[in-house]
Amino acid sequence: MAIVKAGGKPSLTVIDNRNGKQYELPIKHNSVLATDIKKIKAEPQPGDRAEDETSQGLRVYDPAYMNTAVIESRITYINGQDGILRYRGYPIEQLVKKSNFLETAYLLIYGELPTQSQYDSWQNEVLHHTFVHTDVEDMLKSFRYDSHPMGMLTSALATLGTFAPEANPSLQGQKLYTNAATGDVEALRTIDKQILRIIGKAPTLAAASYRMRQGRPFNRPAHGLSYTGNFLYLLDNLSGHEYTPHPVLERALDALFIIHADHEVNCSTATVLQVGSSLVDPYSVVASGCSALYGPSHGGASESAIRMLIEIGSPENVPAFMEKVEKRERVLVGFGHRVYKNVDPRSTAIRELAEEVFKITGRNQLLDTALTLAKYARESEFMRSRNLYPNVDFYSGLIYQAMGFPLDFYPVLFAVPRCVGWLAHWRQQMLNPSGVKIWRPRQIYLGEGEREYVDAASRKEKDKVGVFDAPVQVSHGGDSKRNRLATYKDEMGHTLRPKL
Ligand SMILES: CC(C)(COP(=O)(O)OP(=O)(O)OC[C@H]1O[C@@H](n2cnc3c(N)ncnc32)[C@H](O)[C@@H]1OP(=O)(O)O)[C@@H](O)C(=O)NCCC(=O)NCCS
């Protein structure tokens, strides 16, 4: 392969050594098109399987998207090498210091910082949409008292969609949103109304999931508070009047919301875009984003990081834990990042916040353990050689804990602001002038070739059966000993005898 500049246009010359053919692939924005790679075709080679489909063109194999750009975007820029994060060109550090969450949300979704009057009307509209239908409250009340709040939030966001049939492309026509790309104002209005509804209602639903855990009645949104102030009110107000959250905590939560609002095409945003490409409604889209965020490798990491610190306990246990990490028996949660291989700029911004919060709440008991762990990790050859540094989740968990949030609420505190990033990406996707193509990756098929169906009587077990080749025996949680000893007939009339 060689990169040349033919006629001033950068391109990549590829020689297919299977047949000597040469191809010239244009390079734009330092990328080649995967569909240009598909033009590289050859006759099946010795060793190729029919399922390799060699004559249909070369495929790009990129498990876990290690080097695949899937969108053109104008929203967020990350440079993992130099530790840069910018929303619409503005460095995250400046936004954390000077902006507020709703202003940053406007910036992310609409591309520019709002003027004062744009901001006022945006804030009014978002806060106007914080109320949820009482039937949604009833739905939340049907959860078990100990349900994980992230499960409740995910379900509640999907449920919201059932209250907005006018916003459902399955009912209104599949171009309901994509018509906006040609300037159809009605379609744009439909997009922006759902954006307001989701951003407005996300804290109300999140707070309801929190109150459910405590058996407390849900609060109705308050007037006259900021977005995060209202969120704290919804979470914490009991029966007092004129509830005002502590300004430092309100500001810290607002700053954490800015930091978490977007992060380019991360796992949950890729999920949002994947699901959005099917043209489903935006409530289903953000619910799928929540599901992706819930995982311990993504938004669940701040919760897991604190659980890990609690398990380590005091600082003197850190060396023993680090030994386990270096033997690869444990993962150091809150360290490492797919993109940031030097410093996570969010973790730098968050460290200052942590100090401000601790001045109000008192020092987090786990802080010394965390700092000792960070020191050991810095000095560890294992960690250094793999570019594993503290990420945002390492410090955010410490702040959430100092502020008294329960562990399983941390991913919710991430999901609420991330709705903004998801919706910014979803809106950009719907407004793509070339339309929305459904996302459909390829695979490399390694399974059996074609074979004839075998009747049950002629089937034989394989000689060597591994644990993966058949279902393992599962236990039935509800089975009592008395049940197991009883004799009864099942619905099909088969007699079941005691399993002794
Ligand atoms: C974030 C994360 C999923 C990124 O994964 P990734 O880019 O796919 O990185 P890899 O899994 O390829 O890791 C590269 C190497 O570092 C090791 N590694 C990565 N993160 C590690 C961690 N937190 N602790 C210990 N080892 C880690 C891997 O075992 C691997 O080692 P190897 O090359 O010897 O096999 C990963 O670093 C992780 O699981 N971190 C902990 C969870 C977390 O904090 N997530 C929040 C992210 S904001």
Side-chain angles (χ1 to χ4, degrees), residues 64 66 263 296-302 305 325 328 330-339 341 344 346 382-383 386 388 391-394 414:
M66 296 296 289
H263 210 227
S297 294
H298 189 9
S302 56
V325 172
R328 306 166 68 101
R330 297 298 301 263
V331 166
L332 206 50
V333 187
F335 284 74
H337 196 273
R338 170 58 62 80
V339 181
K341 299 298 177 194
D344 180 343
R346 300 168 303 168
F382 176 93
M383 300 293 282
R386 289 170 178 76
L388 300 170
N391 58 46
V392 67
D393 295 304
F394 189 62
F414 188 165

Side-chain angles (χ1 to χ4, degrees), residues 157-179:
L157 283 165
T159 305
L160 273 191
T162 67
F163 286 75
E166 78 286 359
N168 187 344
S170 300
L171 302 171
Q172 308 300 335
Q174 72 169 33
K175 294 193 163 206
L176 182 65
Y177 296 112
T178 49
N179 272 343

Side-chain angles (χ1 to χ4, degrees), residues 261-389:
D262 193 45
H263 210 227
E264 202 223 46
V265 201
N266 53 81
C267 173
S268 58
T269 305
T271 305
V272 153
L273 291 168
Q274 172 85 40
V275 174
S277 81
S278 78
L279 300 183
V280 74
D281 68 273
Y283 301 94
S284 305
V285 164
V286 291
S288 68
C290 272
S291 304
L293 190 87
Y294 195 177
S297 294
H298 189 9
S302 56
E303 174 183 349
S304 312
I306 294 294
R307 288 194 197 280
M308 178 189 74
L309 290 174
I310 292 171
E311 182 193 331
I312 296 172
S314 50
E316 64 262 25
N317 301 330
V318 166
F321 191 86
M322 277 306 297
E323 261 179 48
K324 287 191 192 148
V325 172
E326 290 177 358
K327 283 192 206 147
R328 306 166 68 101
E329 289 168 15
R330 297 298 301 263
V331 166
L332 206 50
V333 187
F335 284 74
H337 196 273
R338 170 58 62 80
V339 181
Y340 297 123
K341 299 298 177 194
N342 183 345
V343 65
D344 180 343
R346 300 168 303 168
S347 75
T348 319
I350 227 173
R351 278 190 69 166
E352 288 173 23
L353 269 183
E355 292 306 328
E356 286 169 33
V357 171
F358 296 158
K359 269 187 215 149
I360 307 297
T361 60
R363 211 173 139 82
N364 188 315
Q365 300 287 307
L366 292 172
L367 189 62
D368 288 335
T369 308
L371 293 176
T372 312
L373 194 62
K375 175 178 169 289
Y376 269 78
R378 251 192 329 271
E379 288 164 2
S380 154
E381 181 49 31
F382 176 93
M383 300 293 282
R384 267 197 315 208
S385 62
R386 289 170 178 76
N387 297 319
L388 300 170
Y389 300 94

Side-chain angles (χ1 to χ4, degrees), residues 129-291:
H129 283 92
T130 45
F131 286 80
V132 296
H133 197 291
T134 50
D135 287 350
V136 178
E137 292 181 0
D138 290 345
M139 188 282 284
L140 279 160
K141 284 183 197 149
S142 67
F143 276 100
R144 260 176 67 127
Y145 68 96
D146 60 351
S147 303
H148 196 293
M150 204 52 196
M152 289 193 258
L153 178 67
T154 307
S155 316
L157 283 165
T159 305
L160 273 191
T162 67
F163 286 75
E166 78 286 359
N168 187 344
S170 300
L171 302 171
Q172 308 300 335
Q174 72 169 33
K175 294 193 163 206
L176 182 65
Y177 296 112
T178 49
N179 272 343
T182 55
D184 178 333
V185 177
E186 230 9 83
L188 270 170
R189 224 190 296 282
T190 313
I191 289 184
D192 287 342
K193 174 119 189 217
Q194 310 328 306
I195 289 177
L196 287 169
R197 279 176 168 162
I198 294 171
I199 299 175
K201 292 174 202 319
T204 314
L205 299 174
S209 74
Y210 175 83
R211 304 277 291 197
M212 264 297 294
R213 300 294 303 273
Q214 297 169 330
R216 287 186 177 164
F218 304 153
N219 282 321
R220 297 282 150 75
H223 290 288
L225 292 176
S226 70
Y227 186 81
T228 29
N230 173 53
F231 184 41
L232 287 168
Y233 166 88
L234 289 168
L235 290 168
D236 298 330
N237 182 53
L238 290 170
S239 55
H241 295 285
E242 296 178 30
Y243 183 91
T244 313
H246 193 289
V248 171
L249 301 192
E250 180 181 342
R251 173 70 198 134
L253 192 61
D254 204 77
L256 282 167
F257 273 21
I258 293 175
I259 287 169
H260 284 110
D262 193 45
H263 210 227
E264 202 223 46
V265 201
N266 53 81
C267 173
S268 58
T269 305
T271 305
V272 153
L273 291 168
Q274 172 85 40
V275 174
S277 81
S278 78
L279 300 183
V280 74
D281 68 273
Y283 301 94
S284 305
V285 164
V286 291
S288 68
C290 272
S291 304

